[in-house]
Amino acid sequence: MIQLKLTNYIFSVDKFFFKHLSYTSESSIFRHSEITEKFFRFITKFGEGYFELLLTVVLLSFFLINKKKYNYLKKYILAVIFTLLSTQITVNVMKVLFARARPSITVNPDKFYGIMTLIKNTSYWKGSYVSFPSGHTITIWGTIWILSFIIKSKAIKIPLFVLGILVGISRIYLLRHWTTDVVTSIILSYFIAKFVHKKIFGNREKDTKPSFIPYYRKLKIRLIFMFLHKRRIFLKIFEMKE
């Protein structure tokens, strides 16, 4: 009963955002026009892997120009590539397993056909039945997450997050995905990027903890030397008095 209520609630969320974001809806917050559609069709391309390819080429170019100076970029390049590969494998496996119908062919977000339906009916092996999760969203957000773990500058992070949100919205606006497709991709990409970051860069928290131990030992040694030094001075003064 609880599971049914939760499922109905999730699907109601899909319907709500589809109603207020898709270009076919009269209640959409985006007034449908040629300019708006061109904007979202341009934005959605950032989820097609071009951004990751360009970023990899730029980083690789710097590395090849001066390998000693930009040696640290090797990890950055590997992080972007492995995150991209991991997200693509994950999303494509899930698309086949769930086989969800896109909003472009149905107004019901509960249409999950599953892998067995795809196997039995070859006509279902089309782009219209691979809605869950969103490939474009997981692609761009995987890169955004991995960069946000590496880069500390808010001036770079904020535009990246805005871009990611716009790509997610574009998938709903263009009738390619439900809201849950997009949100699931954002969550999945976070954990994938986190895993890749940990494997390549290691756990920085663990790396920073031992640094306190040598410092504590040095401080302890200094205090001991200071105590001995003062003791020697005291003994000398005492001997002079005698």
Side-chain angles (χ1 to χ4, degrees):
M1 188 68 180
I2 296 173
Q3 187 178 357
L4 182 61
K5 285 183 178 180
L6 181 61
T7 305
N8 291 334
Y9 174 75
I10 291 170
F11 291 147
S12 67
V13 170
D14 278 328
K15 290 178 180 179
F16 175 82
F17 282 102
F18 179 76
K19 180 181 178 181
H20 292 91
L21 294 178
S22 63
Y23 76 85
T24 56
S25 175
E26 294 180 358
S27 303
S28 178
I29 60 173
F30 300 108
R31 188 177 178 182
H32 182 58
S33 65
E34 189 177 346
I35 296 172
T36 309
E37 188 171 344
K38 282 183 178 180
F39 171 75
F40 279 117
R41 289 195 181 280
F42 169 74
I43 286 294
T44 206
K45 289 186 180 296
F46 281 93
E48 294 179 1
Y50 300 118
F51 176 69
E52 290 72 22
L53 179 62
L54 179 62
L55 181 62
T56 304
V57 170
V58 171
L59 293 176
L60 188 61
S61 299
F62 276 102
F63 173 71
L64 293 175
I65 290 169
N66 194 329
K67 292 183 179 180
K68 289 184 178 180
K69 185 178 179 180
Y70 299 108
N71 186 54
Y72 65 93
L73 289 179
K74 284 194 297 184
K75 286 188 175 182
Y76 287 32
I77 295 167
L78 287 172
V80 173
I81 292 173
F82 279 114
T83 302
L84 180 62
L85 290 174
S86 300
T87 53
Q88 297 314 298
I89 292 169
T90 303
V91 76
N92 281 291
V93 169
M94 290 184 70
K95 279 178 178 291
V96 174
L97 288 175
F98 289 96
R100 189 183 196 182
R102 294 187 187 274
S104 57
I105 61 170
T106 179
V107 293
N108 299 315
D110 59 339
K111 299 299 181 182
F112 288 84
Y113 292 92
I115 187 171
M116 294 309 297
T117 304
L118 295 180
I119 293 171
K120 291 176 182 178
N121 194 336
T122 55
S123 64
Y124 276 70
W125 286 97
K126 298 178 181 178
S128 299
Y129 295 92
V130 286
S131 185
F132 183 84
S134 169
H136 283 67
T137 307
I138 202 171
T139 300
I140 189 65
W141 273 96
T143 306
I144 290 170
W145 287 125
I146 197 69
L147 291 177
S148 69
F149 298 150
I150 299 169
I151 301 167
K152 301 302 178 185
S153 174
K154 288 184 179 180
I156 298 174
K157 282 185 179 182
I158 292 172
L160 284 174
F161 283 121
V162 171
L163 175 63
I165 292 168
L166 287 174
V167 170
I169 291 173
S170 74
R171 304 310 292 161
I172 302 168
Y173 175 83
L174 296 169
L175 310 181
R176 301 303 293 166
H177 287 285
W178 302 100
T179 303
T180 47
D181 300 339
V182 172
V183 173
T184 301
S185 290
I186 294 172
I187 295 170
L188 281 172
S189 61
Y190 172 82
F191 287 106
I192 291 169
K194 195 73 175 175
F195 176 79
V196 172
H197 180 265
K198 187 177 179 180
K199 289 296 179 183
I200 294 177
F201 293 93
N203 194 331
R204 291 184 178 181
E205 290 180 5
K206 288 184 179 180
D207 294 339
T208 55
K209 284 179 182 178
S211 63
F212 175 76
I213 298 171
Y215 175 78
Y216 174 75
R217 286 175 180 171
K218 287 178 182 178
L219 182 62
K220 191 176 180 180
I221 292 167
R222 284 180 185 176
L223 290 171
I224 292 169
F225 275 112
M226 285 174 65
F227 173 78
L228 292 173
H229 181 67
K230 287 181 179 180
R231 188 170 181 273
R232 285 176 186 175
I233 294 171
F234 176 80
L235 289 172
K236 284 182 180 180
I237 294 170
F238 184 77
E239 287 172 1
M240 287 176 67
K241 284 182 178 180
E242 287 183 341

